[in-house]
Amino acid sequence: MELSLYNVKIPLITPFTTSFGTEEYRDAIIFHMKNEGIDAFSESVTSSIPDYGYEDNTTATHIIGDILCKYVTDVPAPEEFMKRSQSVRGHNMAKSAIEMLLWDYYSKYNKKPLDRYLGESRGYANAGISIGMSDLPSMIRQVGQAINRKYKRIKVKIRKGREDIVKAIRDTYPDIHLSVDANTDYSYGDLEYLKKLDRYNLEYIEQPLAGDDLIYHSRLSRQISTPICLDESITSPEKAEKALEIGACSVINIKPGRVGGLLNSIKIAKIAHEYGGHVWIGGMLETGIGRSFNIAMASQKIVDFPGDTSPNDKYFKKDIVTNVFQMEDGTIKTNDGPGIGVGVDYGALFGYTISARRIL
Ligand code: OSB
Ligand code: MG
């Protein structure tokens, strides 16, 4: 068995601005495992700084390269790997990079496309878009383009004091399925700002308050009528259950990378439905490799809301895969090939590689 990692830096077509900063590149770690003639791949959703969560590429490289790699020498099934890595606290992004690598491996080993291997797939994902913050005319133009491309839900990034973005979009497009994502920018004391957002018939407000909070989100949910969707706060199936139990949210943005992988993603979707909640699959500006896991997950019938995964060409002029996703009528078809079903463009991968390392 061979396990290697590639640190890649790929320019984004448009810089992506959230309340926590602007990203101009996707700084990803790509993992490549070779075993018994099978090539499996995955991507860590970390980036060069710990802005969205506490992990970054350096911590993920340490956790995987020094610790988790010891649990994968015999290529365990994803379930077994997750059991072995319970002794490592947190570091879900690192764990999920390996968990997903093993899912790709085992679905290839069983000669099945990942979406079918995971569970009941629709064969396609319902696509929504996440639009970063910029000047109002540009944001409205991007919303218009998204409507023309038939996205099923449009999400815009906001921050405290930029509620004008929502008003301007609603004034222009009164009927679209619209949501906002604050990436933790508000505090519970900012109720007057949050109440402004409550006027615009939003599908939900994503992660208004702190990334580790459930209690204030629960209070907030009783003071506004717009549903709350949690992203950063939901780091495990247990957290999801607690959040739903106390009414901190009724919608969850599941990112397999944030919750420790695909097994936990499936668990969270099931728990949410037990509570009458809804789930969708988010994204972290992944390359075609990470994106293919998100699309496979988003195609599952237990995922009931459109997610954040756009086709590759929203992000990169040239991706590191040979078969990029296309969008048709607001849906993206899952790949047919075994596993994640992507062909890796080694020329592009090596071209974007800043450093590479053999781990095992
Ligand atoms: O909060 O969902 C988020 C990107 C990076 C970090 C956090 C988030 C996002 C997105 C982009 O919203 C979703 C995507 O297009 O991949
Ligand atoms: Mg979010």
Side-chain angles (χ1 to χ4, degrees):
M1 196 268 253
E2 277 180 47
L3 178 60
S4 305
L5 68 74
Y6 299 87
N7 287 104
V8 296
K9 184 168 173 140
I10 313 178
L12 292 167
I13 292 173
T14 26
F16 189 74
T17 300
T18 63
S19 63
F20 60 75
T22 298
E23 295 178 62
E24 291 179 37
Y25 295 88
R26 170 78 185 116
D27 273 303
I29 315 175
I30 302 299
F31 294 89
H32 179 189
M33 182 173 80
K34 271 184 206 248
N35 190 49
E36 296 186 6
I38 295 172
D39 288 280
F41 296 90
S42 71
E43 173 171 347
S44 169
V45 298
T46 47
S47 58
S48 52
I49 51 168
D51 46 10
Y52 162 83
Y54 66 86
E55 296 178 77
D56 66 15
N57 289 339
T58 309
T59 68
T61 303
H62 157 57
I63 295 293
I64 293 169
D66 298 330
I67 300 160
L68 299 178
C69 63
K70 297 181 185 133
Y71 309 148
V72 292
T73 49
D74 59 343
V75 195
E79 293 88 337
E80 175 60 23
F81 167 73
M82 288 308 281
K83 254 188 232 150
R84 293 178 189 178
S85 42
Q86 261 172 20
S87 55
V88 176
R89 305 277 177 225
H91 293 280
N92 278 348
M93 293 181 179
K95 287 176 186 169
S96 59
I98 299 301
E99 197 246 22
M100 291 196 263
L101 185 69
L102 294 166
W103 275 106
D104 185 35
Y105 178 84
Y106 277 98
S107 47
K108 281 172 174 161
Y109 181 84
N110 287 290
K111 302 189 169 54
K112 281 203 174 148
L114 177 63
D115 67 315
R116 317 277 156 167
Y117 189 64
L118 267 179
E120 264 196 274
S121 169
R122 293 183 184 93
Y124 63 87
N126 287 313
I129 190 171
S130 175
I131 297 176
M133 273 183 284
S134 56
D135 60 281
L136 272 183
S138 157
M139 287 185 79
I140 290 171
R141 194 166 55 242
Q142 290 175 69
V143 170
Q145 286 164 354
I147 295 167
N148 291 338
R149 296 197 66 188
K150 302 213 168 68
Y151 276 102
K152 304 210 175 222
R153 184 276 275 133
I154 293 170
K155 148 175 153 185
V156 291
K157 295 286 186 180
I158 48 155
R159 60 178 165 79
K160 183 179 158 187
R162 287 304 313 272
E163 297 76 19
D164 61 309
I165 293 173
V166 189
K167 180 181 183 332
I169 295 171
R170 262 297 176 237
D171 286 348
T172 320
Y173 301 109
D175 302 320
I176 56 170
H177 293 284
L178 184 65
S179 70
V180 296
D181 186 358
N183 286 106
T184 79
D185 205 49
Y186 295 87
S187 306
Y188 182 63
D190 295 329
L191 200 59
E192 55 179 308
Y193 291 88
L194 292 159
K195 286 212 159 160
K196 282 190 205 163
L197 294 173
D198 211 18
R199 299 178 196 149
Y200 299 109
N201 189 27
L202 297 171
E203 306 269 299
Y204 41 80
I205 300 176
E206 183 175 337
Q207 196 72 41
L209 309 178
D212 59 356
D213 173 76
L214 296 182
I215 301 287
Y216 286 173
H217 280 105
S218 162
R219 284 195 201 163
L220 176 63
S221 74
R222 280 174 266 133
Q223 285 165 298
I224 57 175
S225 56
T226 309
I228 291 177
C229 169
L230 287 179
D231 173 348
E232 285 90 332
S233 288
I234 307 299
T235 49
S236 65
E238 295 72 27
K239 263 282 185 73
E241 178 138 26
K242 287 175 183 167
L244 292 153
E245 170 99 36
I246 65 169
C249 67
S250 56
V251 182
I252 297 175
N253 167 354
I254 301 176
K255 291 178 185 165
R258 190 192 68 238
V259 302
L262 297 173
L263 278 170
N264 282 347
S265 299
I266 294 167
K267 284 187 193 162
I268 291 172
K270 288 182 177 161
I271 292 167
H273 295 312
E274 281 168 25
Y275 282 88
H278 306 278
V279 299
W280 51 275
I281 306 304
M284 295 287 286
L285 315 176
E286 288 92 341
T287 74
I289 289 178
R291 191 163 305 285
S292 58
F293 288 93
N294 291 341
I295 296 287
M297 187 62 214
S299 75
Q300 300 298 304
K301 289 184 181 166
I302 49 169
V303 173
D304 60 333
F305 274 11
D308 264 355
T309 29
S310 289
N312 315 52
D313 65 2
K314 170 180 185 268
Y315 308 88
F316 312 109
K317 215 183 268 169
K318 175 136 192 59
D319 206 321
I320 57 175
V321 297
T322 51
N323 51 331
V324 294
F325 289 112
Q326 308 291 338
M327 195 165 88
E328 209 178 297
D329 263 347
T331 65
I332 298 175
K333 275 201 190 69
T334 54
N335 287 325
D336 290 329
I340 53 174
V342 297
V344 172
D345 180 336
Y346 286 96
L349 173 64
F350 298 152
Y352 291 126
T353 295
I354 289 165
S355 60
R357 190 181 129 191
R358 172 107 184 247
I359 300 174
L360 289 173

